[in-house]
Amino acid sequence: MSTSVPVRLVLASQSPARRKLLQAAGIEPDVLVSGVDESQVVSERAEDLCLELARLKAQAVRDRLRPSRDERTLVLGCDSVLAFDGEILGKPDDAADATRRWQRMRGRSGVLHTGHSLIDVTYESRAEAVASTTVHFADISDEEIAAYVATGEPLAVAGAFTIDGLGGAFLTGIEGDPGTVVGLSLPLLRRLLAEVELSIVDLWTKVAPGGQEIEHLG
Ligand SMILES: Nc1nc2c(ncn2[C@@H]2O[C@H](COP(=O)(O)OP(=O)(O)OP(=O)(O)O)[C@@H](O)[C@H]2O)c(=O)[nH]1
């Protein structure tokens, strides 16, 4: 399903992790931060909450774009939350909150849900879904919790942990796509692109694995 015009992906997220994940996969997104106030959405279900927020972020950025005849423009919004112990947890409020969370999470499991909303600005179509990955937390010590919180890393991320940073040492395993934990599932993005009649190959702009330059598949 290749396309005859260049495809531009606009990532509606300030997340450096999401951008790096796309870049490593050969996709160089433009970034337009949505500025959506996440506190405006409340939901009982983690999957509904993260999908609604992803939708709001994508729409807020879409509304700032004009379709162009020279390219196919897509907007991707994402939002990640941790479902743990019957609660929906985003980023911790502060260091004390991150500490309390880890004292509860250690030795137990949670599910990191990431909502994805893809809008095809050119054809006004959209595709959206939630990816979920179960995360098992190691039974870490109070000293490890204190040291981890002191780095500040847990304060900036949904669930107060990372899989690809310092927090990776404090997980014993996952079931599902690791990208979902970072904040963007590439296998799910591939499926959403297929729903709008595109292939992920159409978005490759950087050097392919193995080093050879990819001509833009246009
Ligand atoms: N590097 C990394 N980042 C993570 C991980 N888990 C969650 N995050 C980040 O935590 C943040 C989750 O908050 P969100 O509200 O989804 O996104 P945000 O950072 O506020 O950015 P916006 O999309 O602009 O709202 C995202 O930036 C995720 O990339 C992880 O395991 N590794």
Side-chain angles (χ1 to χ4, degrees):
M1 265 178 282
S2 192
T3 169
S4 56
V5 296
V7 182
R8 174 191 180 205
L9 178 68
V10 179
L11 177 61
S13 177
Q14 66 80 30
S15 169
R18 291 189 175 115
R19 184 174 186 194
K20 285 195 193 100
L21 201 145
L22 287 169
Q23 289 171 325
I27 301 168
E28 188 59 60
D30 292 335
V31 173
L32 266 178
V33 181
S34 70
V36 161
D37 170 9
E38 303 193 19
S39 64
Q40 67 179 298
V41 177
V42 177
S43 172
E44 295 293 306
R45 292 185 70 246
E47 298 89 327
D48 296 344
L49 178 63
C50 67
L51 185 55
E52 178 56 24
L53 282 167
R55 202 179 281 147
L56 285 174
K57 293 176 186 180
Q59 191 61 47
V61 168
R62 184 264 166 274
D63 292 345
R64 288 155 45 188
L65 297 172
R66 273 192 316 282
S68 153
R69 273 195 304 278
D70 307 328
E71 63 186 12
R72 186 95 174 258
T73 305
L74 305 171
V75 178
L76 177 64
C78 296
D79 189 76
S80 301
V81 294
L82 175 69
F84 173 77
D85 212 9
E87 293 177 46
I88 304 174
L89 303 171
K91 297 176 200 148
D93 298 332
D94 52 30
D97 186 25
T99 302
R100 279 192 302 274
R101 287 198 197 179
W102 267 101
Q103 287 166 343
R104 292 174 55 206
M105 291 174 359
R106 58 182 166 190
R108 300 177 65 190
S109 304
V111 182
L112 205 297
H113 300 282
T114 294
H116 300 63
S117 178
L118 182 70
I119 298 176
D120 181 338
V121 179
T122 308
Y123 295 110
E124 281 306 322
S125 56
R126 59 184 66 211
E128 53 190 34
V130 177
S132 304
T133 293
T134 299
V135 181
H136 302 290
F137 301 108
D139 188 11
I140 65 177
S141 67
D142 290 339
E143 292 71 26
E144 287 171 313
I145 291 175
Y148 185 41
V149 172
T151 69
E153 182 183 273
L155 303 184
V157 293
F161 74 97
T162 65
I163 187 172
D164 57 337
L166 298 172
F170 301 141
L171 309 180
T172 57
I174 66 170
E175 278 117 46
D177 170 34
T180 301
V181 183
V182 174
L184 192 162
S185 170
L186 290 169
L188 177 55
L189 176 59
R190 176 176 170 273
R191 294 198 297 275
L192 297 181
L193 287 167
E195 285 184 41
V196 296
E197 299 293 308
L198 281 170
S199 159
I200 195 142
V201 170
D202 297 320
L203 277 68
W204 285 350
T205 57
K206 307 280 284 184
V207 175
Q212 78 277 13
E213 190 67 24
I214 295 179
E215 287 303 308
H216 196 291
L217 304 172

